[in-house]
Amino acid sequence: MSRPGDQGGLRALVTGAAGQLGVEVVARWRLEEQGAVVAADHRQLPVDDAQAVTAVLEQTRPHVVIHCAALTDVDRCQREPELARAVNAVGTANVARAAAATGAHLVCVSTDYVFDGRATRPYTEADPPNPISVYGQTKLAGERACPPEATIVRTSWLSGIGPSGFVPAILRRAHDTGSLPVVVDQRASPTYTADLARAIVELARDRRSGCFHVTNAGQASRYELAREVLAVAGGDPDRVRPITTAELDPPRPAPRPAYSVLDNSAFAAAGYRPLPDWRDALVRLLARLAPR
Ligand SMILES: NC(=O)c1ccc[n+]([C@@H]2O[C@H](COP(=O)([O-])OP(=O)(O)OC[C@H]3O[C@@H](n4cnc5c(N)ncnc54)[C@H](OP(=O)(O)O)[C@@H]3O)[C@@H](O)[C@H]2O)c1
């Protein structure tokens, strides 16, 4: 585990530090706070182990805990609900308890999948959650385990330089031949982990309480996003074939919200710079992912 420096600034501990968001949060904190960050990956800090969480926080004494660890494979959560609960619900409660006990401010990352997707306008923080998958239910339970003074950041459709996001997955198939079926009836705001990390670091540094929806601006269906990835990467966007979720073969175990665009106006009203449009973010992400 990397150690915090002695510079006297704010010290952060990042859980899930090897995940696609965690790596960007660690990098951003290092850049802005001169290295004072504990980057704790799954092996170093298994959040479902309450004793390990307490021990690591007591040993490292961060001012802020940025909780990025989660079981994010939505279909795996559906197949293994006990594991999903242990990581996303109990794990978050463990982190919240240890942060409170050591006086650290908690920033907890959550998801658009706490909503059922039946809305016809972007969801605000005041809209009642109603998750339709085990992933969404366990993430919501995690939110509810956080104290009122915590920061909760809900976001959507993350992609970054790691292999697990939707954008890298489509990019890997950019120069295949044949059609690429992608669902057209799921809609949200694709979000670049590096842009989100900037916002998270700002909220964390301010130890800002409350729930904030933070995504790149604009919205797209998965079909539109896949077309844009191919267009920017020099592939043929017309290879992307629109299908419905019901046509997925094999069907996915977990239901997804059809519409989970998040209204970011509370974040902007709190004085933070909104994230750029998702198309702008995509160009910057693909430039980093392009083979050199
Ligand atoms: N991905 C999205 O589209 C999306 C959308 C909305 C919100 N979010 C939220 O954003 C946050 C970051 O997600 P991400 O996209 O960066 O996911 P990710 O790439 O899957 O990273 C999650 C990290 O958590 C780790 N982890 C899993 N179980 C753990 C445990 N028991 N203890 C400690 N660490 C554990 C994983 O390690 P291993 O891989 O080694 O298990 C992984 O490094 C999560 O809270 C997620 O719910 C994600």
Side-chain angles (χ1 to χ4, degrees), residues 10-13 57-58 60-66 95-107 147 149-151 204 207:
L10 274 188
R11 215 169 34 248
L13 180 143
L57 263 73
E58 279 179 353
T60 54
R61 293 268 156 188
H63 303 100
V64 179
V65 174
I66 304 177
V95 172
R97 199 178 314 108
T102 51
H105 179 79
L106 175 64
V107 180
E149 59 275 17
T151 314
R207 288 179 263 196

Side-chain angles (χ1 to χ4, degrees), residues 127-264:
D127 286 320
N130 183 31
I132 56 173
S133 65
V134 170
Y135 171 71
Q137 288 155 4
T138 57
K139 291 292 294 181
L140 181 61
E143 286 187 9
R144 289 181 172 163
C146 296
E149 59 275 17
T151 314
I152 292 171
V153 177
R154 291 196 189 125
T155 190
S156 61
W157 289 16
L158 294 183
S159 287
I161 50 167
S164 63
F166 181 80
V167 169
I170 295 293
L171 187 63
R172 285 193 289 274
R173 304 190 56 187
H175 298 289
D176 289 358
T177 52
S179 80
L180 187 55
V182 179
V183 296
V184 74
D185 55 356
Q186 292 174 28
R187 198 166 186 81
S189 301
T191 298
Y192 178 24
T193 50
D195 287 351
L196 178 62
R198 188 261 293 164
I200 287 175
V201 166
E202 287 173 6
L203 287 163
R205 210 174 30 205
D206 294 349
R207 288 179 263 196
R208 183 94 200 197
S209 296
C211 180
F212 294 95
H213 289 177
V214 187
T215 64
N216 278 117
Q219 52 175 275
S221 66
R222 295 227 183 243
Y223 165 74
E224 289 163 344
L225 173 56
R227 280 187 64 90
E228 193 71 15
V229 172
L230 262 57
V232 176
D236 174 9
D238 291 337
R239 278 186 45 232
V240 184
R241 181 166 59 84
I243 60 166
T244 64
T245 302
E247 288 173 312
L248 276 170
D249 184 19
R252 304 291 186 267
R256 271 77 168 164
Y259 177 92
S260 56
V261 178
L262 300 178
D263 183 329
N264 282 216

Side-chain angles (χ1 to χ4, degrees), residues 25 41 46 48 62 68 78 88 97 101 111 122-123 129 136-137 140 146 155 162 168 173 197 199 248 266 270 274 279:
V25 171
D41 68 15
D48 48 323
C68 298
Q78 205 72 15
N88 295 342
R97 199 178 314 108
T111 171
Y123 285 99
Q137 288 155 4
L140 181 61
C146 296
T155 190
R173 304 190 56 187
L248 276 170
R279 290 176 199 81

